[in-house]
Amino acid sequence: MVTKPRIALTLASPNELNLASHGRYREALEAAGAEVVALYPGETVPVDIDGLMLSGGGDIAADRYGAQDLACAGVNPERDELEITATRYALERDLPVLGICRGFQLLNVVRGGQLVQDVPDHDPPERKGMVAHEIRPTEGSLLAQATGGQPQTVNSRHHQAVTREGLGQGLMVTVEVHGLVEAFEATDRRWVVGVQWHTERKWEVSPESVGIFDALITAAATRPPSGL
């Protein structure tokens, strides 16, 4: 029997409003071949995981990146603590990590980066449409390898953002749109990718975009090199 890679999926505390969202992350990972280990605020990161996925959600507390809170919303200190701990654990062991939206921003913060706390017109209300735009990953990047490298339609559902000026250490920009970093990867780890858009909302993005989940699972199924 083939053992499925165990992927820790960090999520907000469950409620009536986010159950469907949580289900989309789980379904995307399971469709790619993962055994999903859901982690909620206040829980302990298991030691027997093969990879990590950081999901979307509320804002990260501004003091986590040494800033004054100017426009943060939906902050959950317990979730911040869980995800920072989980990310550091994964990075120390060179486990594959995928960050989506908030998860993308969390990766940047863990790497010592900063966030722009409010970007207008990028966060439409649920069921009120979306902000669609086209991206093209940098040739040869992990994202390009995962999605084919061609132009793709993606969505915007965020009000905070990353810029080159606030980019964390060891991160390389692979997508930039109108001065905002929308994807990056770590240059000092074998597979760490962050994307600002919500690929799990597959009806809002190009079909190629879901290849990022397959790439995460493929990386998680491969034993990391020795020395880390």
Side-chain angles (χ1 to χ4, degrees), residues 97-118:
V97 182
L98 171 62
I100 289 180
C101 199
R102 170 196 160 91
F104 161 84
Q105 296 167 8
L106 192 284
L107 275 169
N108 193 59
V109 169
V110 169
R111 280 305 183 98
Q114 300 284 309
L115 301 179
V116 177
Q117 291 190 30
D118 192 43

Side-chain angles (χ1 to χ4, degrees), residues 33-188:
E35 176 187 347
V36 178
V37 181
L39 290 180
Y40 299 100
E43 295 186 344
T44 301
V45 181
V47 298
D48 59 342
I49 58 172
D50 302 303
L52 172 67
M53 198 189 111
L54 304 161
S55 68
D59 296 338
I60 301 156
D63 60 9
R64 293 288 187 172
Y65 46 97
Q68 181 182 355
D69 186 343
L70 302 175
C72 293
V75 172
N76 183 326
E78 276 195 318
R79 184 176 184 189
D80 290 351
E81 186 63 28
L82 167 69
E83 293 188 325
I84 290 170
T85 299
T87 302
R88 288 174 176 166
Y89 178 88
L91 293 177
E92 286 170 1
R93 289 155 182 80
D94 200 22
L95 302 178
V97 182
L98 171 62
I100 289 180
C101 199
R102 170 196 160 91
F104 161 84
Q105 296 167 8
L106 192 284
L107 275 169
N108 193 59
V109 169
V110 169
R111 280 305 183 98
Q114 300 284 309
L115 301 179
V116 177
Q117 291 190 30
D118 192 43
V119 178
D121 303 322
H122 282 66
D123 187 22
E126 188 74 16
R127 293 180 291 276
K128 294 291 185 180
M130 67 160 178
V131 179
H133 57 287
E134 187 175 275
I135 60 95
R136 183 167 188 162
T138 299
E139 184 177 353
S141 65
L142 294 173
L143 182 61
Q145 293 171 28
T147 64
Q150 299 304 310
Q152 301 162 40
T153 297
V154 299
N155 51 24
S156 286
R157 292 185 177 275
H158 62 100
H159 87 105
Q160 299 198 331
V162 175
T163 62
R164 283 185 180 270
E165 292 74 19
L167 192 66
Q169 297 177 355
L171 298 178
M172 178 180 73
V173 176
T174 57
V175 173
E176 185 174 13
V177 179
H178 301 312
L180 299 180
V181 176
E182 295 219 349
F184 54 56
E185 63 188 52
T187 59
D188 56 356

